[in-house]
Amino acid sequence: MRQSDPLELTAHPMVAVKAGTLDDPAPFAPGISLWNSTRLPWVEVAEGIACFERNPG
C-alpha cells in the first residue's frame, strides 16, 4: 500500500461507481482506496493500490 499524491489523480479522469450497483462487479478491481484513516483492521488493500487518508485534493 502506498500513500498517493492528490495531484496524481488529476491527470486521469475517473468515474466512481459503487460495485453493489453492478450486475457483475467481478471484472472491476479497485484502482484507489479512499478514507484509509477510518479503514477497519480486517480490510486488506492490494499491493500497488493508491491510498488516501481522506478524499484526495
Side-chain angles (χ1 to χ4, degrees):
M1 178 170 61
R2 65 184 173 92
Q3 188 66 28
S4 293
D5 181 354
L7 295 177
E8 179 181 341
L9 290 180
T10 60
H12 306 286
M14 69 174 157
V15 174
V17 177
K18 293 184 178 184
T21 65
L22 302 173
D23 290 335
D24 181 13
F28 303 98
I32 61 174
S33 180
L34 304 175
W35 287 93
N36 286 282
S37 61
T38 58
R39 181 173 35 130
L40 297 172
W42 48 262
V43 174
E44 295 182 18
V45 178
E47 186 72 30
I49 296 290
C51 294
F52 297 89
E53 292 300 308
R54 292 186 164 62
N55 284 338

